[in-house]
Amino acid sequence: VSDVSGGLLMAARFILVTSGVGMFGWASFALYASWAPRPRAPAAIRALAPLAAATAGVVWIVGLAREAVGAPGLPDPSVVLSLCLETGFGRALAAAVLLSLLLAVFALSPRRPPMRAVAYASGGLLTSLAFVGHAAGVSGVAGGVRIGVMATHLLLAGVWLGGLLPLALALRTTGAETGRLLRQFGNVALTAVAGLVTSGMISAAVILGMAARPPGPVYLTAFAIKLALVAALLGAAAVNRWVMTPLAARNPTRALRGLRWSLAAEQFLALALLAAVARLAQLDPGM
Amino acid sequence: MRHLAFIAALLAAAMSGQGALAHAFLEAASPKVGGRVADASEVRLTFSEPVEPAFSTISVTGPPGFAGAGAAKPAGPDHRTLAASLKAPAPPGRYLVHWRVLSRDSHVTQGSFRFEVGR
């Protein structure tokens, strides 16, 4: 894959995964913390994530068709259509684009959409992405298990990382309920992190243990960067859970001041982590 | 303990599949890479993971008089093997095989090797 195409595919993957994580996190937060205030942004901002996801999905499909053909310029539309219909990852990406468009319709509707429907659509989007990448390389029961593990990993990432933004926004107006919201998010996030670490370890063991060649320095460096970002994120989450949450019970004002910074840091680290994952997914472990 | 057993079972199931993960690389070829055969009627390539035949190609160039190879077609139930028939006759001489495949995990890989026909 050329550098330009590789960069484009990586950017498309990053935008699609990040949008999916954000939308699923938002919907699941609205379901388990339905009592918390949820300010509604203008339609243009609400539609930003699903439209960015749909665009990234189309760019991803066209980029893969271009790579598959191996010729410069835009691929023939019939090749793009054939990729969407005849390959497993093409069908998965086409489904992701359609679900993104459905989510855009939800976002643009004047009434609040049913959050359960948003959760199903955004969860379906994240699940479809498990079919595009290293986990989809093998068929049969083993392939099904790998895709299942990857889908679980993506959904749990959505619950945790995608829940950070709605949490930060809700904390602006929760007042005396700050401690309750933090405890609720903390319990959900803790469960999600446990599942994320487990599914991540299984995926890493499978990829590294079954790679065609021993892991190379480029892949190992990218993997180490991902692990460092995961460690930093867990550190920030631990501060929120075991320092800020008890502080919120005693002194909500002081806790909120600290939380503004720690949640912003956590979201920044989450974006960096998703970028590192997009890079890792493009690499051959043997590199 | 039950959680650990479940995780171990998941890991074992995930690692039970045939073939390696992450990008399709050439595992076996007939004629062999760099090999010499008395006659050749097809080039058969087996990769480290399943490939998409519709988006995979095998091209073969050879000595003067060689008529070329047909399209790459799936050969075998595991989707890891492709075969391209050589248009007869395959005169003695050196042949260059170039393959380019799209694997099921959406990655494109390519490579080439030589073989020889002759006694």
Side-chain angles (χ1 to χ4, degrees):
Chain A
V1 177
S2 69
D3 286 348
V4 175
S5 284
L8 198 67
L9 292 175
M10 199 176 84
R13 184 187 287 268
F14 170 70
I15 292 170
L16 192 46
V17 173
T18 304
S19 306
V21 161
M23 290 186 284
F24 186 65
W26 189 282
S28 52
F29 181 87
L31 288 175
Y32 64 75
S34 54
W35 59 271
R38 281 185 294 128
R40 203 164 192 230
I45 293 179
R46 294 199 304 268
L48 199 63
L51 290 179
T55 309
V58 170
V59 168
W60 198 345
I61 291 169
V62 172
L64 283 177
R66 184 175 180 273
E67 281 306 312
V69 171
L74 283 174
D76 193 89
S78 64
V79 173
V80 177
L81 186 66
S82 164
L83 189 98
C84 288
L85 297 175
E86 291 176 30
T87 66
F89 60 80
R91 285 190 288 269
L93 282 175
V97 171
L98 292 176
L99 287 167
S100 300
L101 292 175
L102 175 65
L103 286 159
V105 171
F106 282 148
L108 289 169
S109 79
R111 287 184 171 190
R112 269 186 200 271
M115 273 301 148
R116 206 170 288 275
V118 177
Y120 282 133
S122 53
L125 192 164
L126 281 179
T127 302
S128 71
L129 299 181
F131 290 81
V132 192
H134 293 145
V138 174
S139 46
V141 175
V145 171
R146 287 173 200 179
I147 287 171
V149 169
M150 183 50 68
T152 306
H153 195 68
L154 285 164
L155 291 170
L156 292 174
V159 169
W160 177 30
L161 303 179
L164 292 171
L165 181 60
L167 173 69
L169 293 175
L171 283 175
R172 289 178 172 189
T173 49
T174 41
E177 298 281 20
T178 297
R180 179 187 170 195
L181 185 59
L182 281 176
R183 274 194 308 279
Q184 196 165 20
F185 178 81
N187 290 339
V188 172
L190 205 60
T191 310
V193 167
L196 262 174
V197 170
T198 306
S199 54
M201 279 167 44
I202 292 174
S203 292
V206 169
I207 289 173
L208 295 175
M210 298 190 75
R213 297 177 288 173
V218 175
Y219 189 86
L220 285 177
T221 304
F223 191 66
I225 290 171
K226 181 191 169 181
L227 287 185
L229 286 166
V230 169
L233 249 175
L234 289 176
V239 169
N240 285 346
R241 181 77 177 91
W242 285 291
V243 178
M244 294 301 175
T245 303
L247 183 64
R250 299 191 306 271
N251 187 345
T253 315
R254 202 171 144 216
L256 276 175
R257 223 176 302 134
L259 274 167
R260 239 171 250 143
W261 285 102
S262 62
L263 281 175
E266 234 183 304
Q267 287 174 80
F268 175 77
L269 287 168
L271 285 175
L273 176 63
L274 292 172
V277 169
R279 161 103 174 113
L280 204 60
Q282 285 294 113
L283 290 177
D284 162 36
M287 282 178 75
Chain B
M1 199 63 191
R2 259 187 302 175
H3 288 107
L4 280 179
F6 177 68
I7 292 166
L10 268 184
L11 189 58
M15 294 186 88
S16 67
Q18 196 181 21
L21 254 184
H23 299 206
F25 288 101
L26 187 61
E27 263 191 0
S30 173
K32 285 183 180 169
V33 174
R36 188 184 180 101
V37 291
D39 191 22
S41 59
E42 70 167 13
V43 170
R44 183 177 284 253
L45 308 179
T46 301
F47 296 92
S48 54
E49 65 171 81
V51 297
E52 299 286 355
F55 293 93
S56 301
T57 56
I58 298 174
S59 66
V60 185
T61 52
F66 174 58
K73 290 182 178 165
D78 58 0
H79 305 282
R80 293 166 56 216
T81 303
L82 293 175
S85 299
L86 302 184
K87 291 171 185 165
R94 295 190 79 190
Y95 288 76
L96 175 67
V97 178
H98 181 81
W99 55 267
R100 181 183 170 87
V101 295
L102 175 64
S103 55
R104 282 235 178 126
D105 66 5
S106 78
H107 295 112
V108 174
T109 47
Q110 58 183 335
S112 53
F113 67 91
R114 289 183 186 280
F115 70 90
E116 208 166 330
V117 173
R119 293 186 187 280

